[in-house]
């Protein structure tokens, strides 16, 4: 792959069918829950990416019988009923936030053992203190670098009980604790605040898939409340097969592609948004506001159509509950007729990179009028400024979501003749969650142009 990678614009309206990889969030949760269960589980439709491969390798180092088949999109794992086979392991977590938080809580469950974890320099800056403090309150003994990686766990089980959780930094913190809670010594109760609920709902529903009575969330307001988790063993899923949903966060890029290209895209393996486990499906409501049409496809999956922006529509929305998609809209904001305001994503400053600052910088380099706020940004589109350079090279900060979202903008036929005008630096960063993103985008391009010339 070239680096920088020039994006080839669509000179014809999009007309394509694509298939997306499985959800990273679901794949990594299913792997942990299957490891906690007693018996063999086969994950189908699983994601194979940097983050999930880190999870697979870590479970292997912990002594689990786990084997992936990337071509078949399957992972087979034998759970040990809450037991960790190896009493000593050193885990390399890279920059995988879900693996870091889930495995930290998981290793603390062990009845004896020493487990070391570290990651790349960026991972050493990501928030872990809230999780480490919560585990310490349950009796865990963890050495850390002032609440950051690297860490060393001296495992001796977890006692459970009441925890007060501020999940502003990451909902993964609470999800990690919830998944291990049934196997602690006592019933566990969580009093939480500043929580992005969709990922926690996903966690609770998946716990139920693996044999737990689904814990109830009792809300005191929109993002605070209580959850009580009873003690109980996990079970393998019926027939031992767990089907992983297609990644809705990844779907946001192709669902929004027709904003840049007009036309339609069918995502053949996408569940109906109303039935999905993934909260990022709420992003599709933003597309509807802009004039998009979303319907079930006759051949399966979902169809996204867009033939022109509503000129009088200005997006001014809180993305806190589906924040992984805010870069998708922000990257396309130069093509919209009205300003775009995104709120509620302050926590994204502490993800793979500072996503608010990074997108602000890239859009300003493209001549856009951007107001940066602590919890978001507002973009006033200046499409004429995109033409002031022969080709723009945009930075991705090692963050897969910058690469994928800005590729959508580059798919717009700015000059009307198919000339590339935007190039993505470090396009390989997409290996984190969607290694074949640019192959799928190229396929959509070829299908769209073939359908018009056939």
């Amino acid at each position: 792959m070239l680096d920088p990678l020039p994006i080839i614009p669509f000179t014809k309206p999009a007309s394509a069918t694509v298939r997306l990889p499985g959800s990273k969030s679901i794949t990594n949760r299913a792997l942990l829950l299957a490891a906690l269960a007693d018996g063999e589980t086969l994950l189908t439709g699983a994601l194979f990416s940097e983050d999930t491969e880190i999870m697979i390798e870590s479970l292997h180092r912990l002594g689990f019988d786990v084997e992936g088949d990337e071509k078949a999109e399957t992972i087979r794992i034998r759970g040990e009923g809450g037991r960790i086979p190896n009493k000593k392991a050193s885990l390399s977590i890279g920059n995988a936030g879900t693996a870091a938080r889930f495995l930290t809580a998981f290793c603390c469950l062990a009845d004896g053992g020493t487990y070391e974890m570290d990651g790349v320099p960026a991972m050493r800056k990501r928030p872990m203190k809230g999780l480490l403090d919560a585990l310490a309150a349950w009796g865990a003994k963890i050495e850390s670098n002032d609440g950051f990686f690297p860490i060393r766990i001296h495992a001796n089980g977890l006692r459970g009980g009441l925890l007060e959780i501020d999940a502003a930094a990451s909902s993964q913190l609470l999800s990690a604790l919830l998944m291990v809670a049934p196997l602690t010594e006592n019933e566990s109760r969580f009093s939480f605040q500043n929580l992005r609920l969709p990922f926690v709902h996903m966690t609770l529903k998946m716990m139920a898939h693996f044999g737990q009575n689904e814990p109830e969330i009792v809300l005191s307001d929109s993002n605070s409340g209580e959850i009580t988790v009873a003690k109980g063993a996990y079970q393998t899923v019926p027939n031992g097969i767990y089907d992983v949903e297609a990644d809705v966060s990844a779907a946001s890029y192709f669902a929004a592609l027709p904003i840049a290209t007009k036309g339609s895209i069918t995502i053949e393996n996408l569940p109906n948004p109303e039935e999905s486990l993934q909260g990022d499906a709420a992003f599709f409501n933003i597309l509807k506001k802009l004039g998009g049409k979303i319907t079930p496809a006759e051949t399966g999956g979902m169809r996204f159509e867009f033939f022109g922006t509503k000129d009088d529509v200005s997006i001014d929305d809180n993305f806190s509950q589906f924040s992984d998609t805010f870069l998708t809209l922000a990257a396309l904001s130069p093509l919209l007729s009205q300003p775009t305001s995104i709120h509620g994503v302050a926590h994204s400053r502490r993800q793979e990179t500072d996503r608010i600052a990074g997108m602000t910088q890239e859009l300003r380099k493209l001549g856009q009028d951007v107001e940066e706020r602590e919890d978001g940004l507002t973009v006033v589109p200046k499409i004429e400024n995109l033409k002031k350079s022969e080709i723009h090279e945009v930075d991705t900060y090692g963050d897969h979501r910058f690469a994928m979202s800005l590729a959508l903008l580059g798919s717009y036929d700015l000059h009307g003749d198919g000339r590339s005008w935007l190039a993505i630096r470090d396009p390989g960063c997409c290996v984190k969650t969607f290694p074949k993103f640019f192959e799928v985008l190229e396929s959509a391009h070829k299908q769209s142009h073939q359908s018009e010339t056939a």
Side-chain angles (χ1 to χ4, degrees):
M1 191 184 303
L2 294 175
D3 184 3
L5 178 67
I7 302 301
I8 302 174
F10 283 57
T11 59
K12 303 292 184 182
S15 177
T17 298
V18 299
R19 180 177 178 84
L20 301 185
S23 161
K24 177 196 75 173
S25 298
I26 294 177
T27 299
N28 273 351
R29 280 168 174 78
L31 280 169
L32 191 79
L33 293 168
L36 287 166
D38 188 8
E40 187 171 289
T41 301
L42 181 70
L43 275 59
T44 59
L47 171 66
F48 283 82
S49 72
E50 184 176 79
D51 277 23
T52 58
E53 288 171 3
I54 284 171
M55 191 73 168
I56 292 169
E57 175 60 21
S58 295
L59 289 168
H60 178 73
R61 286 175 176 265
L62 291 169
F64 287 90
D65 179 7
V66 54
E67 182 180 1
D69 184 335
E70 183 172 358
K71 186 175 181 180
E73 298 180 337
T74 61
I75 305 171
R76 180 188 57 79
I77 178 170
R78 178 168 292 279
E80 298 289 343
R83 187 180 68 88
I84 296 178
N86 290 347
K87 294 296 185 182
K88 186 176 182 180
S90 179
L91 309 182
S92 180
I93 301 299
N95 194 21
T98 52
R101 292 165 182 132
F102 295 174
L103 290 168
T104 296
F106 180 54
C107 288
C108 288
L109 275 178
D111 183 16
T114 302
Y115 305 100
E116 297 178 345
M117 296 187 203
D118 200 1
V120 298
M123 186 67 231
R124 293 183 176 187
K125 298 178 182 179
R126 298 184 70 176
M128 291 288 293
K129 188 177 187 331
L131 176 60
L132 301 185
D133 287 349
L135 291 166
W138 274 357
K141 295 180 180 180
I142 307 172
E143 300 174 38
S144 74
N145 181 22
D146 194 26
F148 292 91
F149 268 24
I151 64 173
R152 179 182 288 111
I153 298 167
H154 302 280
N156 194 33
L158 293 169
R159 60 173 171 252
L162 174 64
L163 285 177
E164 294 185 359
I165 301 293
D166 185 341
S170 175
S171 63
Q172 293 168 4
L173 181 160
L174 181 53
S175 286
L177 294 165
L178 285 168
M179 286 189 285
V180 300
L183 300 181
T184 60
E185 295 173 11
N186 302 292
E187 179 181 86
S188 299
R189 184 160 60 91
F190 302 86
S191 176
F192 63 82
Q193 58 182 335
N194 297 318
L195 184 66
R196 293 178 299 283
L197 283 169
F199 283 103
V200 174
H201 278 297
M202 174 195 294
T203 300
L204 297 178
K205 289 183 181 299
M206 290 184 66
M207 288 169 63
H209 295 164
F210 282 85
Q212 295 297 319
N213 292 324
E214 184 175 342
E216 181 183 0
I217 300 178
V218 180
L219 292 174
S220 53
D221 58 42
S222 62
N223 65 355
S224 62
E226 291 189 351
I227 305 172
T228 300
V229 180
K231 286 172 55 60
Y234 282 104
Q235 302 169 11
T236 54
V237 292
N239 301 318
I241 298 174
Y242 192 88
D243 189 28
V244 176
E245 288 184 3
D247 192 329
V248 171
S249 304
S252 75
Y253 307 113
F254 289 93
L257 179 62
I259 291 178
T261 65
K262 306 296 187 289
S264 67
I265 293 287
T266 295
I267 303 175
E268 65 177 15
N269 61 330
L270 190 69
N272 190 308
E274 296 179 0
E275 300 171 359
S276 175
L277 287 171
Q278 301 169 73
D280 279 357
F283 175 75
F284 302 143
N285 293 325
I286 300 293
L287 299 183
K288 290 179 181 179
K289 288 183 182 180
L290 289 169
K293 183 180 179 182
I294 303 171
T295 55
E298 293 182 1
T299 55
M302 300 298 296
R303 177 181 173 89
F304 298 84
E305 298 176 85
F306 196 88
F307 292 97
T309 309
K310 292 182 177 179
D311 291 338
D312 58 344
V313 173
S314 177
I315 297 298
D316 188 346
D317 274 81
N318 188 312
F319 276 62
S320 63
Q321 303 300 309
F322 49 106
S323 60
D324 277 349
T325 65
F326 94 85
L327 292 178
T328 310
L329 181 66
L332 290 168
S333 61
L335 307 182
L336 303 179
S337 58
Q338 299 295 327
T340 298
S341 289
I342 293 167
H343 309 273
V345 294
H347 63 280
S348 71
R349 292 187 180 276
R350 300 179 294 274
Q351 293 183 289
E352 281 82 346
T353 187
D354 182 336
R355 287 178 170 170
I356 298 173
M359 185 54 76
T360 296
Q361 181 166 317
E362 295 313 304
L363 290 175
R364 284 177 177 168
K365 282 163 55 177
L366 294 171
Q368 304 307 294
D369 183 355
V370 187
E371 175 197 350
E372 180 182 356
R373 299 182 306 279
E374 176 59 27
D375 81 327
L377 69 167
T378 296
V379 184
V380 178
K382 305 284 185 182
I383 193 169
E384 64 277 6
N385 288 345
L386 298 178
K387 298 182 180 181
K388 291 185 178 181
S389 174
E390 184 64 24
I391 190 159
H392 298 273
E393 291 187 3
V394 292
D395 289 308
T396 57
Y397 309 93
D399 189 328
H400 54 133
R401 300 210 182 280
F402 276 85
M404 293 185 281
S405 59
L406 288 165
L408 303 184
L409 180 60
S411 296
Y412 175 67
D413 190 15
L414 179 66
H415 299 296
D417 57 8
R419 275 184 292 151
S420 293
W421 60 274
L422 186 145
I424 306 292
R425 292 175 180 159
D426 187 21
C429 65
C430 292
V431 298
K432 185 172 179 63
T433 59
F434 197 164
K436 296 183 179 180
F437 170 79
F438 288 105
E439 293 178 30
V440 177
L441 181 61
E442 181 182 11
S443 172
H445 185 279
K446 288 181 178 178
Q447 290 178 60
S448 300
H449 290 71
Q450 289 170 355
S451 68
E452 289 294 320
T453 58

